[in-house]
Amino acid sequence: MKKIFNFIILSIIITNCQAQQTNLALNLEKGNVYKQITDSKMTIIQDFGGQKMNIEMLLKGGMSYLVKEINKDEYIMEVKYDSLSMSMQLPQGKMKFSSEEKNEQNIFSSLLAEMKKIPFEITMTKTGKVIEVKNIDSMFDSMFKKFSDIPETQLAQIKAQLKNAYGEKAFKGNIEMITAIYPNHPVRKGESWEINTKLESGMSGNINSIYNLTEKSSDYYIIVGKSSITTEDKDAYVQTNGMPTKYDMKGKMSSNIKVDKKSGWIIEAKINQNIEGTVYIKNNPEMEEGMKIPMVMNNKMIFTNK
């Protein structure tokens, strides 16, 4: 009788422990559209031979994700931009671009407006990893056909800048900051797990994150993350604005993410990045090391679903 009683008690304990665990994951529905609104403020401080130059950049945008198919643990979604805007405060003055601006003389704004017209496709796992992005390159090719009167050199430079900010690698890295946050196993409140992602906007970097389920309610979960960011290959030069450039940077990122309990989609996410290090630019390909520019970047981002 005592053994039976002990077995019953043990079964109750095991059941309670299992009940406390949560399957954190995306649970999207076919045919539904999920929104994402981005508001980013970045401050860049560069040191040119002891002379500091400050740049402030504001990026805003809205996106829609239509779930077209669900294959096992993957979602195939059609993605389109609803709005895009960018403003930069430079030492020389302020520059503003917006997809909503009706000004054919503002080439960059016209290109942002064209981006709204052409959807592309992504495949995302239930843990929020983007495993494929389709048609972004064809989107850019289609856009630039309408601007054949722009000098080829200028067009190539603008195209490179847009791809750097909105291309396949940049998109994947930016979206995974707030979607690739889920563990591949059930977790309890207070439990932590590790996620590794890539940063591809500008420099290529590795992001190692430790996330923790800090709060559970009837409608949402709160997930908090602490991340370290390091340059993927600090010895590799890449072409930036036509010049060989390499990055030796490192930093930290903090995330506070509120997700919908039913769908797993982001309700609100607040992310702070602080990155610093040195950028090397070769004005002359024969230069051994290049111009050395110490740099500090602080980026505050807010993502919402409406």
Side-chain angles (χ1 to χ4, degrees):
M1 186 67 182
K2 184 178 179 181
K3 289 183 179 179
I4 295 174
F5 179 76
N6 288 341
F7 176 76
I8 293 171
I9 295 298
L10 181 61
S11 298
I12 292 171
I13 291 172
I14 292 172
T15 302
N16 286 339
C17 288
Q18 290 176 338
Q20 290 173 3
Q21 289 186 321
T22 301
N23 283 307
L24 291 173
L26 290 171
N27 185 30
L28 310 180
E29 294 184 16
K30 183 177 179 180
N32 280 6
V33 175
Y34 298 88
K35 296 286 188 176
Q36 182 188 94
I37 313 299
T38 306
D39 196 334
S40 170
K41 180 180 180 179
M42 178 183 288
T43 303
I44 303 172
I45 303 172
Q46 299 174 326
D47 191 328
F48 291 90
Q51 184 175 358
K52 294 190 182 298
M53 183 176 79
N54 291 9
I55 299 172
E56 187 175 279
M57 184 180 298
L58 302 177
L59 295 172
K60 295 184 179 183
M63 303 184 75
S64 296
Y65 295 76
L66 168 63
V67 181
K68 295 176 65 179
E69 294 182 40
I70 302 175
N71 297 328
K72 293 184 180 179
D73 294 329
E74 297 175 0
Y75 300 101
I76 298 174
M77 294 187 278
E78 183 183 86
V79 184
K80 73 180 189 70
Y81 290 104
D82 299 320
S83 64
L84 289 163
S85 68
M86 177 190 304
S87 66
M88 291 180 286
Q89 183 65 55
L90 305 170
Q92 300 89 343
K94 190 170 185 178
M95 303 173 66
K96 292 181 68 176
F97 312 101
S98 172
S99 60
E100 311 311 299
E101 183 176 335
K102 307 298 181 183
N103 182 357
E104 293 183 359
Q105 302 304 313
N106 189 325
I107 297 171
F108 210 90
S109 290
S110 298
L111 286 166
L112 293 181
E114 287 297 316
M115 287 177 65
K116 290 173 51 180
K117 301 176 183 179
I118 309 170
F120 56 96
E121 187 176 282
I122 69 168
T123 302
M124 181 182 289
T125 68
K126 289 191 174 183
T127 58
K129 288 275 188 180
V130 177
I131 58 176
E132 188 176 21
V133 181
K134 290 183 179 179
N135 303 328
I136 280 191
D137 285 344
S138 60
M139 176 182 75
F140 284 116
D141 292 340
S142 177
M143 284 166 45
F144 281 90
K145 285 180 181 177
K146 299 182 179 182
F147 297 89
S148 56
D149 55 330
I150 301 174
E152 190 173 334
T153 304
Q154 184 183 0
L155 203 63
Q157 187 176 12
I158 294 172
K159 190 173 183 178
Q161 290 172 340
L162 274 175
K163 279 193 172 184
N164 187 50
Y166 301 106
E168 178 180 330
K169 290 182 178 180
F171 173 83
K172 184 177 184 295
N174 289 335
I175 184 63
E176 284 191 340
M177 279 193 297
I178 58 167
T179 61
I181 59 173
Y182 293 120
N184 56 11
H185 56 84
V187 295
R188 291 183 292 272
K189 180 180 176 182
E191 188 174 347
S192 297
W193 61 93
E194 182 178 6
I195 300 288
N196 290 297
T197 55
K198 296 280 188 181
L199 179 68
E200 295 284 2
S201 183
M203 76 168 195
S204 293
N206 298 311
I207 304 178
N208 175 260
S209 304
I210 303 297
Y211 291 103
N212 187 283
L213 175 60
T214 62
E215 186 179 338
K216 297 167 63 176
S217 82
S218 58
D219 300 320
Y220 62 84
Y221 299 121
I222 299 293
I223 298 171
V224 172
K226 297 291 182 184
S227 311
S228 61
I229 303 171
T230 55
T231 304
E232 185 173 23
D233 185 352
K234 64 180 183 180
D235 296 319
Y237 278 93
V238 295
Q239 289 293 322
T240 304
N241 291 331
M243 292 182 289
T245 306
K246 75 173 183 179
Y247 300 86
D248 184 2
M249 311 284 285
K250 61 181 180 180
K252 295 182 178 181
M253 183 173 78
S254 63
S255 310
N256 191 295
I257 305 171
K258 182 179 183 180
V259 302
D260 182 74
K261 188 173 184 178
K262 182 181 178 182
S263 68
W265 195 252
I266 304 301
I267 297 172
E268 182 181 66
K270 295 180 180 179
I271 297 178
N272 292 330
Q273 286 181 348
N274 303 100
I275 304 172
E276 58 183 273
T278 306
V279 179
Y280 300 87
I281 301 176
K282 286 186 179 182
N283 293 324
N284 185 338
E286 296 180 1
M287 295 173 67
E288 183 176 345
E289 190 62 35
M291 187 185 349
K292 184 177 178 180
I293 306 172
M295 182 182 294
V296 176
M297 295 187 293
N298 297 314
N299 194 5
K300 293 184 178 182
M301 294 169 278
I302 298 176
F303 299 86
T304 60
N305 65 346
K306 56 184 177 180

